[in-house]
């Protein structure tokens, strides 16, 4: 195996490389890849998790934005028959095309600066994903798993929970990385449902309702949603229009979105 060139973490890519072997083993045990499975790793960096995932014998595709990391990854893993690398932006990557009718398992230490839009992008491909294991800023994991009434509850968590079962697995301290980030990290598992527990007639309408509701989360629903649905229609669903956005559950937001769709027909 060749000695890979050295690489300095780049702030503009939000790079923080995981180097704690105990944490790496714990992540891979949580993912538990199997030989017959296909895995996509987003942002492999210098291959800290990549090596252990490859050792399972699974077919591993990795996508890396930083061109300077490609030679490092090629030097380490290029000779492995079950390894394939894609240089590009995960936000623009066609997950469905890669899956080609199969199911992918997705893992990644996601850059904090793109984690939210990237999760929304992946949720659009939920039909071809078995599960997702991500290292994220702990604040983002808290938002993904948040329940009604929580300060961290909002559009990201509701949409993640619409498509997936969300499990916060464990925290990862800053000293597990080089360079050390200024924030705490955590591992989350997202497992897409075969059928959403509260199916919306139109997911785009649900997104519109959530954006409007949480755009001014300190105001009541009758005020935040007045451009989308009137308070009488909200009340007709058995929902108090005087509540604040964080007080409603997923099922109630789906009911509002479905009512908006019905009223527009």
């Amino acid at each position: 195996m060749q000695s890979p060139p050295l690489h300095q973490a780049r702030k503009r890519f939000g790079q923080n490389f995981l180097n704690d072997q105990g944490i790496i083993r714990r992540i891979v045990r949580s993912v538990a890849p199997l030989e017959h499975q296909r895995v996509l790793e987003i942002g492999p960096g210098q291959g800290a998790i990549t090596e252990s995932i490859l050792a399972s014998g699974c077919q591993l595709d990795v996508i890396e934005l930083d061109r300077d990391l490609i030679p490092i990854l090629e030097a380490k893993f290029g000779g492995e028959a079950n390894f394939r690398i894609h240089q590009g932006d995960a936000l623009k990557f066609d997950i469905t095309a890669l899956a080609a009718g199969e199911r992918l398992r997705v893992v990644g230490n996601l850059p904090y600066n793109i984690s939210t839009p990237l999760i929304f992008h992946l949720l659009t491909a939920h039909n071809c994903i078995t599960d997702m294991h991500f290292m994220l800023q702990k604040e983002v994991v808290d938002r993904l798993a948040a329940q009604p009434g929580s300060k961290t509850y909002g559009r990201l968590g509701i949409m993640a929970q619409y498509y997936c079962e969300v499990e916060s697995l464990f925290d990862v301290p800053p000293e597990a990385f080089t360079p050390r980030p200024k924030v705490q990290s955590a591992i989350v598992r997202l497992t897409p449902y075969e059928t959403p527990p509260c199916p919306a007639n139109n997911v785009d309408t649900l997104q519109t309702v959530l954006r409007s509701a949480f755009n001014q989360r300190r105001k009541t629903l009758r005020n935040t949603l007045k451009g989308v649905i009137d308070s009488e229609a909200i009340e007709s669903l058995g929902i108090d229009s005087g509540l604040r956005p964080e007080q409603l559950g997923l099922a109630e937001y789906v009911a509002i979105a479905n009512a908006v769709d019905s009223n527009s027909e």
Side-chain angles (χ1 to χ4, degrees):
M1 185 180 288
Q2 301 176 45
S3 296
L6 296 174
H7 180 82
Q8 291 282 359
R10 291 184 169 178
K11 193 171 182 180
R12 70 189 176 99
F13 290 142
Q15 290 174 342
N16 298 92
F17 297 125
L18 184 64
N19 56 19
D20 184 309
Q21 292 302 314
I23 296 291
I24 291 168
R25 285 192 294 271
R26 196 172 175 189
I27 292 170
V28 176
R29 279 199 305 270
S30 297
V31 177
L34 299 173
E35 188 173 350
H36 66 278
Q37 294 175 332
R38 292 188 60 196
V39 179
L40 171 65
E41 184 181 6
I42 296 172
Q46 299 181 85
I49 299 173
T50 312
E51 187 169 5
S52 296
I53 292 175
L54 264 180
S56 72
C58 71
Q59 172 59 49
L60 178 63
D61 286 81
V62 303
I63 178 166
E64 176 56 58
L65 178 62
D66 188 347
R67 292 178 186 276
D68 291 346
L69 284 170
I70 303 301
I72 295 175
L73 294 165
E74 290 282 9
K76 283 186 174 181
F77 312 117
E80 303 291 339
N82 56 329
F83 177 78
R84 184 168 55 174
I85 189 165
H86 308 264
Q87 191 281 319
D89 185 348
L91 280 168
K92 300 173 183 175
F93 194 74
D94 191 338
I95 308 291
T96 305
L98 177 67
E102 295 185 65
R103 290 279 185 133
L104 300 176
R105 304 189 69 199
V106 184
V107 301
N109 174 11
L110 302 190
Y112 299 146
N113 53 348
I114 65 159
S115 59
T116 298
L118 185 51
I119 288 169
F120 275 115
H121 175 59
L122 290 164
L123 289 175
T124 65
H126 67 280
N127 286 328
C128 62
I129 295 174
T130 299
D131 57 18
M132 299 176 267
H133 290 78
F134 295 133
M135 172 113 62
L136 296 162
Q137 190 172 338
K138 185 174 179 352
E139 177 192 332
V140 177
V141 172
D142 290 344
R143 287 166 58 202
L144 285 167
Q147 295 300 306
S150 164
K151 288 182 179 178
T152 54
Y153 183 69
R155 178 173 162 246
L156 176 64
I158 294 170
M159 287 310 303
Q161 292 168 41
Y162 176 82
Y163 286 114
C164 306
E165 180 185 356
V166 180
E167 301 169 81
S168 177
L169 299 183
F170 57 91
D171 294 350
V172 180
E175 54 267 26
F177 301 89
T178 303
R180 283 178 58 156
K182 296 177 182 178
V183 296
Q184 191 85 3
S185 301
I187 305 295
V188 67
R189 177 187 290 135
L190 306 175
T191 307
Y193 295 113
E194 287 295 331
T195 304
C198 304
N201 295 338
N202 187 320
V203 175
D204 289 340
T205 305
L206 177 59
Q207 292 264 32
T208 298
V209 167
L210 292 172
R211 269 193 294 268
S212 299
F214 285 95
N215 193 36
Q216 297 174 296
R217 61 184 298 143
R218 294 177 64 85
K219 292 189 174 183
T220 62
L221 292 170
R222 70 169 62 93
N223 289 314
T224 61
L225 293 179
K226 64 184 177 184
V228 180
I229 187 171
D230 61 45
S231 58
E232 289 80 8
I234 295 173
E235 297 282 351
S236 73
L237 299 170
I239 299 169
D240 182 356
S241 64
L243 293 175
R244 287 184 175 176
E246 70 270 15
Q247 294 175 280
L248 267 62
L250 170 61
E252 292 163 304
Y253 276 113
V254 169
I256 291 172
N258 288 347
V260 171
D261 267 344
S262 297
N263 291 340
S264 64
E265 289 176 356

